[in-house]
Amino acid sequence: MIDRAPLGLLYVNVLIIATCGLVYELVAGTLASYLLGDSVTQFSLIIGVYLSALGIGAWLSQYIEEHLARAFIEIELALALIGGFSTPLLFLAFPLVDWFHVLLFGSVVVIGVLVGLELPLLMRILKEHLDFSELVSRVLAFDYLGALFASLLFPVFLVPRLGLTRTAILFGLLNAAVGLWGTYLLRPLLAQRGIEGLRGRAILVIGLLAVGFIKADSLTTLSEENTLGGKIVYADTSPYQRITVTQADRGFQLYLNGHLQFNSVDEYRYHEALVHPLMSVCEDATKILVLGGGDGLAVRELLRYDRVESITLVDLDPAMTRLATRFQPLAELNEKALSHPKVSVINRDAFVWATEQTAEEASNSKNSAAYDAVVIDFPDPGNYSVGKLYTTHFYRSLREHLSPGAGVAIQCTSPLVAPKSYWCILHTLRQSGFDVTPYHASVPTFGVWGFALARQISGTVSSAPAEDSGTGPGWRLPPVLSPQIAGLRFLNDATMRSLFDLPQDQQSLEMPPNRLNDQILVRLYDLEWGDRG
């Protein structure tokens, strides 16, 4: 028989295993979204498969009829090993196997089945000592409380402080500790023969996981180097993303959540093409807004213009803007742009910032913060959290921040690899009340890359799709660079003209606009770039 004190401790076990179970689910969903993109799809699939596996585990528990206490402890140790080491093993396997999806969802099923076995077995162990209604209410209450702890800890502390690998291993350690603890709490229900062997296995599992926790940085570095290529010289996990910098034979590369953002060898082609066509059109622009671009490279190009009086950079992640100022190779590459006295950095979600600023300006009945030019350098719309920054809702909010005659330059993914995505973005701009001109540039690391120049159309915005001739509705770039601009490595007057000459295989496609409540752009992007992979 179990006395009342250990019964209370068993409820703590329920709290721990419930927290562990949800953390494994969150880790799997986050890992899938990092590696495979489209966070909504990946989390939806992971949750569905995991919950189904929980049901399978609960159903299988009926077939365990004897030695319930021992079975519970063995399940905790198995879950500790599989759940704890699943994340580093999946990271290592991603670049090496073609059947990664099978491995990912197979691990989710196994972990889900083991988690599904835990509570039914524990409830059957406790049923001899408690009234059934009291048992169910208490166990479920601690189970749901554990889920709350996990959901709060995961985004606020675990991922930013520990990263995915250490988080998984830490909760594997907790499962193993529950198993070892169980050999003492449930000792009256365990056969004395073999109990020392059970404890020995628990200690061995804890030891393996402890070594894994200590060596987690090495495991993460090894897996990322296998995935990304090149030696990792900087890595950080913020509440928003995984930031990694790799060093190659020539230059360094920045990755966000495993997706390449730039290569220092040829980034100047991209950033010159993004900034200087806009500034050639907006000849009197003095007050500039940059959305995204926390690496400071677009700001570097803007600071070439003496007429620029102020630049406001709005970037979500302070870890990214810190990197741009404190990581010496990047600070040298951007020429310490973010430390320039003309530059102000705001770490906010650009979507929220634009909406809040618009509401504030409306309440003040004036737009004292109007910008003469806007450079938009967001990551590609590979998930819905980024896709909202390419919607009619966002672009219409942006219009409220522009001075008369202001221009906007936007990176729009590749018109060659992802033409549907590219033209969806341009049609979204037109639907939002902008006059738009497409252009492109060749960036060796990425291939042909697409951009758009836009300015707001006077008057109200029509609900009907804007007409498109395939060459833009008339706003053409003066094919001349400002005479005072020095230090450009890619653009000259002839190259500038060529940017706006789209070849036959990049001509306009009729696509619906990307709206906030139905982000077709994310699905198009995933389809086009996924097919390429």
Side-chain angles (χ1 to χ4, degrees):
M1 295 292 290
I2 305 176
D3 60 33
R4 299 298 297 185
L7 276 178
L9 295 176
L10 282 172
Y11 292 132
V12 177
N13 279 7
V14 174
L15 183 68
I16 293 172
I17 63 178
T19 305
C20 291
L22 187 58
V23 165
Y24 293 138
E25 179 183 6
L26 293 172
V27 166
T30 305
L31 181 146
S33 66
Y34 276 12
L35 299 178
L36 303 176
D38 190 355
S39 57
V40 172
T41 299
Q42 301 309 327
F43 266 99
S44 179
L45 290 173
I46 292 294
I47 291 171
V49 171
Y50 183 80
L51 291 177
S52 298
L54 288 179
I56 293 171
W59 179 74
L60 290 175
S61 67
Q62 66 182 307
Y63 296 104
I64 302 175
E65 299 178 351
E66 298 180 350
H67 309 297
L68 299 182
R70 176 176 288 274
F72 173 77
I73 293 169
E74 297 279 13
I75 287 168
E76 290 303 300
L77 299 181
L79 185 57
L81 275 177
I82 298 171
F85 285 121
S86 61
T87 297
L89 291 177
L90 286 169
F91 269 126
L92 288 169
F94 178 67
L96 303 176
V97 300
D98 295 328
W99 35 275
F100 177 77
H101 285 81
V102 175
L103 189 62
L104 170 65
F105 288 103
S107 68
V108 171
V109 168
V110 172
I111 292 170
V113 168
L114 291 173
V115 173
L117 286 166
E118 290 176 309
L119 281 186
L121 288 179
L122 196 55
M123 290 177 73
R124 288 167 61 188
I125 291 169
L126 292 171
K127 73 176 183 179
E128 302 297 329
H129 311 280
L130 289 173
D131 174 73
F132 179 74
S133 61
E134 182 183 10
L135 170 64
V136 171
S137 63
R138 290 188 180 183
V139 168
L140 292 182
F142 278 92
D143 182 49
Y144 296 145
L145 188 60
L148 174 63
F149 284 163
S151 65
L152 294 176
L153 285 172
F154 188 77
V156 174
F157 175 77
L158 295 173
V159 173
R161 300 286 184 173
L162 300 180
L164 292 182
T165 297
R166 273 206 172 96
T167 294
I169 293 174
L170 173 64
F171 282 85
L173 278 166
L174 288 176
N175 273 128
V178 168
L180 179 60
W181 192 2
T183 63
Y184 294 95
L185 291 179
L186 302 175
R187 184 168 184 174
L189 306 179
L190 292 168
Q192 293 306 305
R193 184 179 178 182
I195 194 170
E196 294 303 323
L198 197 58
R199 287 175 181 164
R201 289 200 299 278
I203 292 170
L204 177 61
V205 170
I206 290 173
L208 290 172
L209 288 164
V211 171
F213 189 85
I214 294 169
K215 296 292 184 179
D217 287 340
S218 299
L219 290 172
T220 301
T221 299
L222 176 62
S223 64
E224 288 185 324
E225 287 180 347
N226 285 339
T227 302
L228 306 179
K231 179 183 178 182
I232 292 177
V233 294
Y234 180 90
D236 186 23
T237 301
S238 78
Y240 307 104
Q241 58 200 347
R242 175 72 174 173
I243 303 171
T244 311
V245 180
T246 63
Q247 183 74 47
D249 293 337
R250 295 179 61 216
F252 65 92
Q253 301 76 39
L254 172 71
Y255 293 85
L256 299 181
N257 292 342
H259 300 289
L260 181 62
Q261 302 303 301
F262 70 79
N263 186 331
S264 65
V265 172
D266 57 14
E267 58 76 22
Y268 65 90
R269 283 177 161 249
Y270 172 94
H271 290 99
E272 287 183 20
L274 175 65
V275 169
H276 297 295
L278 171 70
M279 295 300 286
S280 294
V281 172
C282 302
E283 297 177 352
D284 299 322
T286 60
K287 189 172 185 178
I288 316 297
L289 173 65
V290 180
L291 300 176
D295 51 37
L297 298 172
V299 175
R300 174 197 66 195
E301 298 301 317
L302 289 165
L303 287 170
R304 298 187 190 279
Y305 294 85
D306 293 336
R307 71 174 187 265
V308 171
E309 297 175 358
S310 67
I311 300 172
T312 301
L313 172 74
V314 181
D315 189 274
L316 172 67
D317 196 349
M320 186 65 243
T321 51
R322 281 198 303 269
L323 179 74
T325 57
R326 299 180 187 177
F327 182 63
Q328 190 63 25
L330 181 53
E332 292 177 0
L333 188 65
N334 66 35
E335 300 175 9
K336 301 182 180 179
L338 299 193
S339 300
H340 197 282
K342 292 182 179 180
V343 179
S344 301
V345 176
I346 300 173
N347 291 122
R348 290 280 284 160
D349 184 321
F351 187 91
V352 176
W353 178 86
T355 304
E356 288 179 347
Q357 293 294 107
T358 300
E360 180 180 342
E361 289 158 7
S363 66
N364 293 334
S365 300
K366 62 180 181 177
N367 190 353
S368 60
Y371 296 95
D372 306 318
V374 181
V375 176
I376 300 180
D377 191 17
F378 295 134
D380 276 6
N383 59 63
Y384 291 96
S385 62
V386 178
K388 72 175 186 277
L389 300 170
Y390 291 83
T391 59
T392 53
H393 182 98
F394 179 74
Y395 292 144
R396 285 171 177 166
S397 296
L398 180 63
R399 291 183 70 206
E400 304 300 319
H401 300 286
L402 303 181
S403 62
V408 182
I410 305 173
Q411 84 83 11
C412 305
T413 196
S414 172
L416 183 62
V417 175
K420 293 179 180 179
S421 302
Y422 177 80
W423 289 105
C424 177
I425 295 171
L426 268 69
H427 287 307
T428 303
L429 282 162
R430 288 171 183 153
Q431 185 74 50
S432 306
F434 284 94
D435 207 356
V436 185
T437 298
Y439 69 104
H440 68 157
S442 175
V443 183
T445 295
F446 296 102
V448 175
W449 210 254
F451 305 87
L453 278 175
R455 67 177 178 183
Q456 60 181 333
I457 301 171
S458 300
T460 59
V461 180
S462 170
S463 60
E467 294 295 327
D468 174 44
S469 63
T471 58
W475 187 38
R476 307 305 296 168
L477 175 77
V480 187
L481 280 170
S482 182
Q484 79 269 24
I485 297 305
L488 299 188
R489 300 168 61 190
F490 172 52
L491 288 180
N492 55 36
D493 288 346
T495 308
M496 182 83 93
R497 287 191 293 270
S498 72
L499 299 182
F500 294 84
D501 184 13
L502 268 61
Q504 191 62 33
D505 59 358
Q506 296 174 37
Q507 293 301 309
S508 176
L509 300 175
E510 285 298 329
M511 301 301 302
N514 186 45
R515 302 185 188 280
L516 187 60
N517 69 329
D518 181 18
Q519 292 191 36
I520 187 175
L521 176 61
V522 176
R523 300 194 297 274
L524 291 172
Y525 182 87
D526 184 59
L527 177 66
E528 291 182 307
W529 283 98
D531 285 348
R532 187 171 186 259

